[in-house]
Amino acid sequence: MRWILAATVLLAALLGGFIGRQLAQENLDALELPDSVDLLSQEHLAARSAYERLFGDGLGLEGGEPMTWEIFQERYMAAALRERLSRAFGKADLPDALPSGFVEEVRKKDAPTTLDGQVEALLAQKRQFLAVKEMLLEGKEEQSLTAGPVPCGSPLYDEHVYSQVDGCSASDTKSPSCGRWMLQEVANEEEVAAMKETVLQAFKHLFHAGPMTSLAVDSKAWPLLSAKMLTQDLLQRSRQAISGALGIELFFSGALLVRLQIPPIEGDMQQNSSLGDAFAAHVDKANVASYDWSALLYLSSAGIDFEGGELLFLNTQKDSVLAPVAGQLAFFSSGLENVHRVKPMVRGCRLVLAMWFTCSQRHSHPDLEIHAGHLRET
């Protein structure tokens, strides 16, 4: 009986209007939830607040026209009531009446589990889009990247998704500062050559998305990597180098081996021959909230292994460019201050071990931490 009442609440919320609200409230009352009195009015106010946060500037999530209040309210109310009912007597008892196209838009590592968190994550995505739109301009002047601090961008999250870790997350007022740095020869020539061989061999068994082939570095990847111990050693060496340079303790949040190949590889393993998002500007923390620090260990060199493909940081005035060198480690704070992209490639094969670190042990990647811990012990 209770699941029928719950289903009626959700369907009534989707119906909307006075009749829908009245029907939803009557069934909420019948469920005898402890906080059901005037619940719809509370959620209506919360929906209005969320709408103002997301669309108060008159722009949609990707610029253009915003979602209408009527559509947003309908989706928000259904999602909010589902969340309340889930807490009351378990998700297993609830019908799947949550509308698509709203909360399902964010489903990545450490994705928020509450509606407030999902709104906050969508706002982070919007701010990333607007920052890229503002700073990614044709013909903009460029300069060589200078290592050092940069002013921090405004925080992407308040409290519902991920909180800053004092003394570890980058800050304008406390150490460490936001910035961009490079360390040379973190991997030597022999190690780079061995990594190239193992990565290219592993990629023979993977699908390609246009010029990009990637492999998440976790327990599923180890059987594909002949140089498993070397890969683990470079992960740990990179973390130690960054932790030492910044004076903080870091935990792995993710790692990815990436190849960019121009012209793109053709054949049965090619899923999309277009360039896709391989060279799109982005903000790491806008996509995964627990990313506090980002790092790139290059396994190939610009001008030798590939042409183009430089790392580009978008600035208000001149953009900053880094030409990758094999064995070099570039690392930077992951927030809005470091909107970045790979410049379009002309030819060749660009290989990199990308890593992301969190200051929160609770948000660490379990597979990577297990293997990193093993390396520390040995």
Side-chain angles (χ1 to χ4, degrees), residues 63-367:
E65 292 296 319
M67 183 184 296
T68 66
W69 160 244
E70 290 75 19
I71 293 175
F72 180 86
Q73 177 186 220
E74 171 189 294
R75 296 180 177 181
Y76 186 98
M77 292 294 287
L81 289 172
R82 180 178 174 81
E83 182 177 278
R84 293 265 192 163
L85 293 168
S86 296
R87 290 201 301 264
F89 56 91
K91 292 183 179 180
D93 295 322
L94 288 178
D96 188 14
L98 190 63
S100 60
F102 178 53
V103 297
E104 283 91 346
E105 291 186 35
V106 181
R107 281 292 184 269
K108 297 182 180 180
K109 180 182 183 295
D110 303 325
T113 56
T114 67
L115 194 53
D116 287 335
Q118 289 159 359
V119 169
E120 193 168 279
L122 287 173
L123 183 59
Q125 289 281 309
K126 177 177 179 176
R127 293 175 65 192
Q128 170 186 234
F129 176 86
L130 295 177
V132 170
K133 184 178 179 181
E134 177 184 354
M135 291 192 288
L136 185 60
L137 304 174
E138 288 291 333
K140 196 173 177 184
E141 193 172 350
E142 298 175 356
Q143 59 188 0
S144 295
L145 177 65
T146 301
V150 298
C152 293
S154 55
L156 284 167
Y157 305 96
D158 297 329
E159 57 180 325
H160 299 293
V161 180
Y162 183 82
S163 299
Q164 295 279 97
V165 178
D166 195 35
C168 179
S169 300
S171 169
D172 279 327
T173 57
K174 296 181 181 180
S175 182
S177 61
C178 296
R180 308 153 184 171
W181 294 271
M182 298 87 73
L183 295 171
Q184 306 302 325
E185 299 181 353
V186 172
N188 61 37
E189 289 184 13
E190 292 77 13
E191 290 169 330
V192 168
M195 285 299 297
K196 280 185 178 180
E197 182 178 353
T198 192
V199 171
L200 292 177
Q201 183 63 34
F203 283 172
K204 290 181 180 179
H205 308 286
L206 302 179
F207 288 104
H208 320 300
M212 179 182 289
T213 312
S214 61
L215 175 63
V217 182
D218 54 25
S219 59
K220 296 179 181 178
W222 302 133
L224 298 175
L225 298 173
S226 57
K228 171 185 173 181
M229 292 304 296
L230 175 58
T231 305
Q232 293 172 356
D233 180 59
L234 291 176
L235 287 166
Q236 175 63 359
R237 194 186 307 173
S238 299
R239 171 165 64 176
Q240 289 176 336
I242 298 168
S243 293
L246 298 174
I248 56 178
E249 181 179 14
L250 292 172
F251 304 94
F252 285 104
S253 189
L256 196 68
L257 285 162
V258 181
R259 174 181 63 192
L260 294 177
Q261 178 82 43
I262 295 294
I265 297 172
E266 299 297 336
D268 294 339
M269 302 301 282
Q270 180 59 259
Q271 294 183 312
N272 179 9
S273 59
S274 71
L275 296 183
D277 295 330
F279 305 102
H282 60 280
V283 176
D284 290 344
K285 198 173 186 66
N287 297 294
V288 179
S290 65
Y291 290 174
D292 288 304
W293 295 93
S294 305
L296 299 163
L297 178 61
Y298 290 106
L299 304 174
S300 54
S301 298
I304 299 175
D305 300 296
F306 58 91
E307 298 291 340
E310 298 91 347
L311 176 63
L312 182 72
F313 289 97
L314 305 184
N315 303 318
T316 304
Q317 301 298 325
K318 298 179 182 178
D319 292 338
S320 298
V321 181
L322 174 66
V325 176
Q328 177 188 60
L329 179 69
F331 63 97
F332 48 94
S333 49
S334 304
L336 272 174
E337 65 280 351
N338 280 321
V339 183
H340 61 284
R341 67 179 295 208
V342 176
K343 294 188 68 177
M345 287 171 55
V346 177
R347 63 143 191 100
C349 176
R350 184 185 192 273
L351 295 174
V352 63
L353 172 57
M355 294 161 279
W356 298 273
F357 299 95
T358 179
C359 293
S360 167
Q361 187 171 11
R362 183 170 66 86
H363 291 81
S364 63
H365 191 297
D367 282 353

